Amino acid sequence: MGSNNMERIPSISFLLAMLLTGILGNANMLRDTLLVGIYVDPPFVVKESGGFTGVSIDLWEHIASEMDMAYKYVEFSDAVGIIRSLDYDELDISINPLNNSPSRIERFQVSQPFYISSVGVATTISGQSQFRIFINNFFSRDFLNIVLLLLAILLTFGTILWFAERKTNKYQFRPGIRGLFDGLWWAAVTMTTVGYGDKAPKTHLGKTIAIVWMFTAIIIISGFTATIASTLTVNTLEADINGLEDLQNAGKIGVVGASDAEYFVQQQDLHPSQVYRTPLQALRALSRKEIEILVSDRTTTEYLIKTNNMENRVRLLPLTFQKQYRSFIMPKSQPIFSEVNKQLIMRIQSVSWNESLKKYGLDE
């Protein structure tokens, strides 16, 4: 009998250990209050004195209200901490709009995407004085090309008139090279409507050419005036980034650490000179010209530029890379996933969802 009892002890211990492991492994299933992981990521999660607000917060609180669930926010510094906690079942859900990826779908329960974003590029706007910008652009190649083209047009019409007038009006349109200058002078005076009257055609052919030139000059001068004004006054000193190739040849690049933009930069074999903790910190560094280019989430960057009055210092370029589908994420063991996902789909298909997006400047 004593021997049999001794044999049963390991079996009982094993069963107790398995039971304890099962209880601990499914602790999140037994929690009365859901633990909701978040990190500051405007406009989706915005931290204010009274708590949290934002697109994701509004969406989650609506779902929690519909399902009559108690919850508590657990704040993290970035997405890495949230993903790690979800892996260990220390959280019940992450409501930050995390990017869908094959690895996350395999490891977690990923909801229907509720927002589509992308990686964007922001650059600084020059703080030079308008006079210095004018001088720099005045001696630029673009402005020189415009002036040369204008001179070529003036010389063409001036030469045509000189050919028509050189024999019968040789005092105003002299022979030889000086006559070509007379024609150029007449064309310039006529185009600018100065009207000195020192040179005028006398032949019927010359007058016909003059009439054609007058109407042509009106069209040309209006177009050239706008082009010249734009070339001389518009600030074109932002980084000239038109595509991925330009980005690969760019100077100082900044990114936000542990973000999808940082992963994108790494995938493209780019080498950022600075990595920042938050998007706002990165934008402020860009506005101070500590970096030349910021690669970050386009939606977040645009929101922060507007809400922090940076429009005169920072510009978001019309470029998008790597479309990203944003979702809620839950552990595989979380039993309420299906109901949460159902409520999420119902919410984003409702009319009030568009109003919620407009509230944070995310009109679709």
Side-chain angles (χ1 to χ4, degrees):
M1 290 293 295
S3 174
N4 290 337
N5 289 336
M6 290 298 292
E7 290 176 356
R8 290 173 185 170
I9 290 174
S11 300
I12 295 172
S13 299
F14 176 76
L15 291 174
L16 289 174
M18 291 294 294
L19 180 62
L20 183 60
T21 301
I23 293 173
L24 292 175
N26 295 280
N28 66 314
M29 298 175 61
L30 303 178
R31 280 195 284 260
D32 293 329
T33 301
L34 290 179
L35 299 182
V36 181
I38 58 173
Y39 67 94
V40 175
D41 183 23
F44 301 101
V45 177
V46 181
K47 191 172 185 178
E48 298 180 343
S49 56
F52 296 95
T53 185
V55 176
S56 293
I57 299 294
D58 290 359
L59 176 59
W60 166 251
E61 291 183 354
H62 174 83
I63 293 172
S65 175
E66 290 294 315
M67 295 179 63
D68 193 25
M69 295 185 299
Y71 61 89
K72 180 177 73 172
Y73 291 129
V74 181
E75 187 178 1
F76 292 80
S77 60
D78 53 41
V80 175
I82 286 183
I83 294 298
R84 185 181 295 114
S85 294
L86 288 170
D87 255 335
Y88 288 98
D89 283 334
E90 296 170 352
L91 287 176
D92 296 302
I93 185 172
S94 166
I95 65 169
N96 274 82
L98 297 178
N99 183 29
N100 257 326
S101 68
S103 62
R104 286 178 181 172
I105 292 174
E106 184 178 346
R107 291 161 59 193
F108 306 110
Q109 298 184 96
V110 180
S111 75
Q112 165 78 19
F114 63 90
Y115 195 80
I116 301 175
S117 186
S118 60
V119 174
V121 179
T123 65
T124 56
I125 296 177
S126 174
Q128 291 181 322
S129 67
Q130 291 299 315
F131 177 75
R132 186 169 181 180
I133 293 172
F134 178 88
I135 294 298
N136 288 337
N137 289 334
F138 187 84
F139 292 101
S140 68
R141 178 176 294 181
D142 289 340
F143 181 70
L144 178 61
N145 290 337
I146 292 172
V147 172
L148 291 176
L149 180 59
L150 182 58
L151 284 174
I153 295 173
L154 290 172
L155 184 59
T156 299
F157 273 91
T159 301
I160 293 172
L161 186 71
W162 174 72
F163 268 113
E165 295 288 314
R166 61 193 173 92
K167 292 182 179 179
T168 58
N169 194 6
K170 61 182 179 181
Y171 293 105
Q172 292 187 24
F173 296 92
R174 295 166 291 180
I177 192 68
R178 294 183 299 173
L180 295 177
F181 178 77
D182 293 335
L184 177 63
W185 173 257
W186 168 84
V189 168
T190 303
M191 170 178 268
T192 56
T193 67
V194 174
Y196 285 125
D198 57 335
K199 299 185 184 299
K202 293 183 178 180
T203 66
H204 292 300
L205 178 60
K207 290 178 180 179
T208 302
I209 295 171
I211 291 173
V212 173
W213 172 239
M214 289 173 192
F215 285 102
T216 304
I218 293 174
I219 299 172
I220 292 175
I221 198 66
S222 60
F224 268 99
T225 299
T227 303
I228 291 172
S230 175
T231 302
L232 289 177
T233 60
V234 172
N235 186 349
T236 59
L237 298 179
E238 304 112 354
D240 187 17
I241 306 296
N242 297 309
L244 183 58
E245 184 177 348
D246 294 325
L247 194 61
Q248 290 170 335
N249 297 323
K252 296 180 179 179
I253 299 176
V255 296
V256 178
S259 67
D260 294 314
E262 185 183 28
Y263 301 145
F264 168 77
V265 166
Q266 293 171 350
Q267 290 171 358
Q268 302 304 322
D269 199 26
L270 300 175
H271 304 285
S273 58
Q274 294 290 337
V275 178
Y276 298 94
R277 191 174 62 84
T278 67
L280 183 57
Q281 185 185 54
L283 263 179
R284 286 173 175 166
L286 180 65
S287 68
R288 294 192 298 266
K289 300 186 180 179
E290 295 174 7
I291 53 176
E292 297 174 6
I293 296 168
L294 173 63
V295 180
S296 63
D297 181 80
R298 183 175 181 82
T299 303
T300 299
T301 303
E302 185 174 17
Y303 176 82
L304 290 174
I305 289 174
K306 291 179 181 178
T307 55
N308 289 274
N309 300 317
M310 293 184 177
E311 291 93 338
N312 295 327
R313 293 171 288 164
V314 176
R315 176 174 177 250
L316 186 62
L317 299 180
L319 289 175
T320 56
F321 299 104
Q322 202 178 60
K323 186 178 288 187
Q324 298 169 342
Y325 296 86
R326 308 291 189 169
S327 305
F328 287 173
I329 293 180
M330 305 179 78
K332 286 284 190 182
S333 58
Q334 182 52 252
I336 63 170
F337 169 77
S338 296
E339 184 61 25
V340 169
N341 195 39
K342 174 186 172 183
Q343 292 295 331
L344 184 149
I345 294 172
M346 291 173 60
R347 177 62 174 172
I348 64 177
Q349 290 180 348
S350 67
V351 176
S352 56
W353 173 242
N354 290 329
E355 296 300 320
S356 181
L357 292 176
K358 288 180 181 179
K359 176 182 174 182
Y360 298 98
L362 302 181
D363 302 25
E364 289 193 334

